[in-house]
Amino acid sequence: MIAQNFEYTVATSLAEAVNLLQKHGGRAKILAGGHSLIPMMKLRLATPEALIDIGRIPELSYVRQDGDMVRIGALATHHVVETSGVVMRHCQALADGAGLIGDIQVRNKGTIGGSIAHADPAADYPASILAFDATIVTLGPKGERLIPASKFFVDMLTTALEANEIVREIQIPVQSGKTGSAYLKMAQKASGFAICGAAAVVELDGSGAMAKVAIGITGVGNRAFRATEAEKALKGQKPTTDLLKRACEKASSGVIALEDIHASADYRLDLARIFARRAVEAAIERA
Ligand SMILES: Cc1cc2nc3c(=O)[nH]c(=O)nc-3n(C[C@H](O)[C@H](O)[C@H](O)COP(=O)(O)OP(=O)(O)OC[C@H]3O[C@@H](n4cnc5c(N)ncnc54)[C@H](O)[C@@H]3O)c2cc1C
C-alpha cells in the first residue's frame, strides 16, 4: 500500500523540531530511522499530515561516558550502540540487544530513540533500559523532562512522551563494583523481533552473593516489565543452579501474556522464566 500524502520537513535543530511539532498540533510525526514509522505509514496504521525529519541533527548522535553516567543520543543507531566501547564496557546487555535487532540494514538505520519512542512490545531495548534503571531525557515546549524507565513504557506502542515531546538522550548509570549484564532472546524468525527477550544486571558482593539483581523482560506482555518477584528471590543470595531455577520460575508472575500467530501466551510465559534464568547466569559470568 502507498502512504497517505504528507508534508516533509528536515529539522536542523531540536528546538526547530519541537516548534514544528507544535505547529502541526499532534498531526505530525518525528522521523528518525524510519524503520518502524514508514512501514506503519505504508499500512496506513499511521497517517501523519507531516513528517519532521530529525535524522540530520548532528547533536543527537553520540555515545559517551560522562562521570558516572553513560549518555546515548536519541539518534545513535543500533549499530553504533552495538559497537560502542563505552556501552560494551558499562552496559553490555544493551549492546547485546542492539546486535540482535533485525538485520544489518535495520541496525544501520534504526535508532535507539526511535525504538523506545515507538514502544513495540517485542522491541529489544526496553528490557535492558528497565534493568539498568535508565532515564529518558525529553525535550518539549515546556523544556526538558527526565523520565525514569519504570515510568516510560506505559502500554503497547504507548509511552509517557507527551504530544510535541522528543526523546533527546538515554542515560544509564555506570554500574558499580563487580557487575555483569546480559541480554538474550528467542527471536521471531522472519523479523528478529523478540518473542521473549530478557536482560539481567547482577552485582556480586565480596562473598559472591548477589547484592543487586535487575531483570527486564520484553516480548511477553503489552509492554516490557521488571521481573520483580524473581529479583526479590535472588537478591542477597549466593547463586546456585537450584536457586536460579526456583527464583526465575517467578519471572512472569502476574503477567498477562500476548498471544498471536508466533507464540501462545503460555509459551511466552514459559520463555520468560527460561530466558530470565539464562540472562542472570550470563550476567553472573560477566560480573
Ligand atoms: C525488518 C525489520 C526488522 C526489525 N527487527 C527488530 C528487532 O529484531 N528488534 C527490535 O527491537 N526492533 C526491530 N525492528 C524495528 C527497528 O528497531 C526500528 O529501527 C525501531 O523500532 C524504530 O527506530 P527508528 O529510528 O527507525 O524510528 P522511526 O521509524 O523513524 O520512528 C518510530 C516512531 O518513533 C517516533 N520517534 C522517532 N524518534 C523519536 C524521537 N527521538 N523522539 C520522539 N519520537 C521519536 C516516530 O515519530 C515514530 O512514531 C525491525 C524493523 C524492521 C523494518
Side-chain angles (χ1 to χ4, degrees):
M1 212 186 282
I2 297 172
Q4 179 185 279
N5 283 348
F6 56 89
E7 218 179 273
Y8 172 80
T9 314
V10 176
T12 52
S13 70
L14 260 182
E16 186 190 359
V18 171
N19 283 340
L20 284 165
L21 276 177
Q22 260 193 305
K23 184 186 123 191
H24 287 281
R27 292 179 304 278
K29 279 214 160 276
I30 292 292
L31 177 70
H35 271 56
S36 291
L37 182 55
I38 301 298
M40 298 263 292
M41 287 172 65
K42 284 184 163 178
L43 292 168
R44 301 219 173 180
L45 294 171
T47 52
E49 70 176 26
L51 289 188
I52 300 156
D53 189 346
I54 59 167
R56 290 171 226 184
I57 301 178
E59 76 252 27
L60 275 185
S61 184
Y62 56 88
V63 179
R64 61 173 175 261
Q65 184 180 351
D66 192 0
D68 57 3
M69 194 69 79
V70 173
R71 297 177 185 274
I72 306 176
L75 280 186
T77 61
H78 309 324
H79 175 71
V80 165
V81 174
E82 173 194 2
T83 54
S84 154
V86 171
V87 176
M88 281 194 267
R89 216 164 22 256
H90 297 296
C91 19
Q92 175 86 57
L94 199 72
D96 293 344
L100 292 172
I101 291 176
D103 51 44
I104 189 70
Q105 287 97 330
V106 177
R107 294 197 291 278
N108 275 333
K109 285 299 287 178
T111 66
I112 187 166
S115 176
I116 65 168
H118 187 57
D120 191 303
D124 291 292
Y125 287 127
S128 303
I129 298 274
L130 284 170
F132 282 117
D133 284 321
T135 299
I136 320 304
V137 184
T138 67
L139 185 72
K142 293 185 212 143
E144 201 171 86
R145 275 206 303 156
L146 302 185
I147 308 175
S150 57
K151 299 243 157 54
F152 187 78
F153 301 104
V154 174
D155 205 343
M156 186 179 286
L157 305 179
T158 308
T159 68
L161 273 179
E162 282 177 8
N164 308 338
E165 258 186 328
I166 296 179
V167 174
R168 99 183 293 172
E169 183 177 86
I170 293 94
Q171 300 179 343
I172 297 180
V174 168
Q175 309 301 304
S176 55
K178 212 168 173 275
T179 300
S181 71
Y183 173 80
L184 300 162
K185 77 168 162 180
M186 163 75 84
Q188 197 266 314
K189 293 278 181 236
S191 68
F193 274 106
I195 291 175
C196 170
V201 182
V202 180
E203 183 184 338
L204 298 177
D205 68 17
S207 73
M210 293 175 280
K212 181 189 158 189
V213 185
I215 304 169
I217 309 271
T218 189
V220 174
N222 269 359
R223 61 181 171 88
F225 59 90
R226 281 277 290 267
T228 46
E229 291 299 312
E231 292 173 3
K232 271 189 234 157
L234 290 167
K235 192 168 176 226
Q237 308 292 321
K238 288 196 176 168
T240 62
T241 308
D242 184 49
L243 171 74
L244 294 186
K245 190 164 185 308
R246 271 188 293 114
C248 290
E249 281 300 305
K250 302 172 197 264
S252 46
S253 290
V255 173
I256 299 170
L258 297 169
E259 176 133 10
D260 56 26
I261 53 164
H262 305 303
S264 68
D266 282 346
Y267 184 59
R268 281 192 160 90
L269 293 172
D270 228 11
L271 287 179
R273 298 187 268 267
I274 293 164
F275 276 79
R277 175 174 52 76
R278 290 182 186 170
V280 172
E281 284 167 352
I284 291 169
E285 284 267 306
R286 288 173 171 173

